[in-house]
Amino acid sequence: MWRKLDNLKEVTRWQVWKLQLQDARLYFVSIFVGLLTGLVAVPYHYLLKCSFDLRHSFFDSHPHWYWHIPLFFLLWGVLIFVAWLVKKMPLITGGGIPQTRGVINGRISYQHPFRHLVAKFTGGVLSLTAGLSLGREGPSVQIGSYVGCLVSKWTHLLAGERKQLLAAGAGAGLAAAFAAPLASSLLVIESIERFDAPKTAITTLLAGVVAGGVASLIFPMTSYSLINAIPPTTDFYSQVKLFLLLAVLVSLFGKFYSEVTQVIRRIYPRIKQPVYMKMLYLLIVAYTISLYDVDLTGGGEQFLLQQASHGSTQIGWVVAMMFIHFIFTSLSVSSGLPGGNFIPTLVTGGLFGQIVGLFLVQYGLIAPQSISYIMLISMSAFLVAVIRTPLTAIVLITEITGHFEVFYPSVVVGGLTYYFTELLQIKPFNVVLYDDMIHSPAFRAETRYTLVVEIMAGSYLDGKTVSELLLPERCFIVGVHRDRKDLPPTGIKLVPGDQVQIEMDAQDIEKLYEPLVSMANIY
């Protein structure tokens, strides 16, 4: 009897040691994913910067009118080509965060990840080269998920580990876009994975740190760090009232912003015009704005930085510029061309903060040098209102600016904004995009999906026999992968390291994802 117990302990120790080796391999591979993602996403960022500088130089030089004609037709052809790419490969549309979430949930599978990576890279660069108001962060996230998918295939990882590498690559993409590894990990948890599995958090942070390091080598200093953040010299109660007022105003404007954006997104597909004509109208808007102020194009990031450093004091003009950027962003996003909405949302939030700050200066509540301080807090709060990722928003602004003096005010205003947006029933923008995606005809045709979870030691499923588990209705364990072998689930006892395949109805995967994954994890 004692010998059997000793043998059982020896087997258990060997199993635990083997699982630790597998985890170490996963963490090492995630570092490799971060490196590769950085080597792809950072050149993506660099090319966007170069294309913006070229457009800026062209429009600032005020060339003769006839030089605009070939450039206009060239950019029109570029947009038509990108629209063709999106039609051929629908998964590269938009920012890519909903698609990445769909892959992790099991809704989507990347059949040709390398081909799609090249198309997303090319389409994103060309869309912003044409001047559309889109961001680099969404494509960077999806590019990272493509890299994670490719590496998981090269290394022959298990299905459960592939999901973690996809999440790690996605986080590394955001880290490369902003050189903000901590915020990238939080984005994966809040908006993509939407679940805090320990392995996912570790792999994402490792990949994000490496990708962020690569970004820091090419872009050693972010422009956001040049923004001054001088807190207003007011007493505690005055600051509380200021933060409460800012949260209310940002929440109300966030509701307006979300509603208008969704209306434009619904109207755009109903326009009965060929794609090439839609691209023409979009380019006319982009080109007209470029003739007036090229900094407002390409997401508007440079315009925001300009206003934060030495902005206009004319409230009417700033309001006009904010609404022009807002409508232009809604049109650009509605087109479905590759590009994110994260940076344009930051810009709109920052300009709204500038308007609030100018009013506060007029009434003598703050000094003019504190306007940029209000802008930074408004940027994070507006992300909370529209994207509904409070931790990501607060940490991102702190990381990219290096101003810890805005951290605690951002926590207060962001927390209040989150509460007010819940009262106003503002649906997160990426959730709206995801719901629209999964309710499209292509997804409605699928009736069953398979979710793969990995059993962790000490979890609820650890040690359970498959036959004794009470799973939700029409939810079945169809296979168990152990030691590189596929085992039939009947009568098998689950042990740490098992990759369990759970089949369910397609409409239930979003509702059951978190409960089923939590049963296989520990906290």
Side-chain angles (χ1 to χ4, degrees), residues 191-334:
S191 188
I192 299 176
E193 169 75 6
R194 298 176 69 86
F195 188 78
D196 187 15
K199 280 188 182 179
T200 303
I202 294 172
T203 54
T204 303
L205 187 57
L206 287 172
V209 168
V210 175
V214 175
S216 298
L217 290 175
I218 307 300
F219 303 102
M221 179 180 291
T222 66
S223 301
Y224 292 97
S225 62
L226 302 177
I227 300 175
N228 292 320
I230 303 174
T233 54
T234 55
D235 57 67
F236 175 77
Y237 293 105
S238 298
Q239 287 196 13
V240 170
K241 289 188 287 185
L242 173 62
F243 294 157
L244 181 60
L245 173 66
L246 189 57
V248 171
L249 293 176
V250 168
S251 302
L252 292 173
F253 183 63
K255 177 70 172 179
F256 173 76
Y257 180 94
S258 299
E259 292 295 331
V260 173
T261 300
Q262 295 310 320
V263 168
I264 294 176
R265 285 189 64 247
R266 299 289 183 265
I267 292 175
Y268 187 88
R270 298 175 186 172
I271 299 175
K272 302 300 182 183
Q273 292 286 343
V275 173
Y276 66 88
M277 290 303 298
K278 289 184 178 181
M279 295 300 104
L280 175 62
Y281 301 148
L282 197 59
L283 182 60
I284 289 173
V285 175
Y287 211 89
T288 304
I289 295 174
S290 297
L291 289 170
Y292 178 74
D293 192 337
V294 71
D295 286 333
L296 265 177
T297 63
E301 193 174 23
Q302 293 303 314
F303 185 82
L304 172 69
L305 295 171
Q306 183 186 78
Q307 292 302 309
S309 300
H310 41 83
S312 172
T313 58
Q314 299 178 9
I315 296 177
W317 183 82
V318 178
V319 170
M321 293 302 100
M322 184 191 70
F323 275 101
I324 289 173
H325 175 265
F326 164 34
I327 299 300
F328 181 37
T329 297
S330 299
L331 291 172
S332 299
V333 171
S334 300

Side-chain angles (χ1 to χ4, degrees), residues 36-46 121 140 143-144 172-173 176-177:
L36 281 185
T37 301
L39 293 176
V40 177
V42 171
Y44 176 78
H45 182 187
Y46 182 77
F121 188 104
S140 298
I143 285 170

Side-chain angles (χ1 to χ4, degrees), residues 5 10 28 49 95 109 184-185 190 206 220 261 311 313 315 321 361 365 378 382 418 452 477 495 507:
L5 287 175
E10 189 66 31
F28 176 79
K49 183 179 181 302
S109 61
S184 69
S185 302
E190 288 189 295
L206 287 172
T261 300
T313 58
I315 296 177
M321 293 302 100
V361 169
L365 298 176
S378 181
F382 196 66
Y418 190 93
V452 179
I477 294 179
V495 298
Q507 69 268 18

Side-chain angles (χ1 to χ4, degrees), residues 33 37 90-110 113 116-117 120 136-149 162-174 184-185 187-195 200 204 339-340 430-431 433-435 437-438 443 451 509-510 513:
V33 168
T37 301
L91 286 183
I92 69 169
T93 185
I97 291 178
Q99 295 92 312
T100 304
R101 181 186 169 195
V103 174
I104 291 174
N105 283 357
R107 283 277 188 178
I108 300 172
S109 61
Y110 288 150
H116 282 76
L117 187 155
K120 186 75 175 188
R136 65 179 179 272
E137 76 298 323
S140 298
V141 167
Q142 193 173 12
I143 285 170
S145 71
Y146 285 132
V147 172
C149 180
R162 289 175 188 169
K163 180 182 68 175
Q164 288 154 354
L165 276 194
L166 284 166
L174 185 72
S184 69
S185 302
L187 178 75
V188 170
I189 294 170
E190 288 189 295
S191 188
I192 299 176
E193 169 75 6
R194 298 176 69 86
F195 188 78
T200 303
T204 303
N430 285 327
V431 173
L433 294 177
Y434 182 81
D435 289 343
M437 180 183 72
I438 65 175
F443 286 89
L451 173 68
I509 192 166
E510 282 73 33
Y513 180 80

Side-chain angles (χ1 to χ4, degrees), residues 365-387:
L365 298 176
I366 65 171
Q369 60 265 29
S370 295
I371 292 177
S372 57
Y373 175 82
I374 301 297
M375 291 178 68
L376 292 177
I377 298 174
S378 181
M379 286 163 64
S380 65
F382 196 66
L383 274 181
V384 174
V386 177
I387 311 294

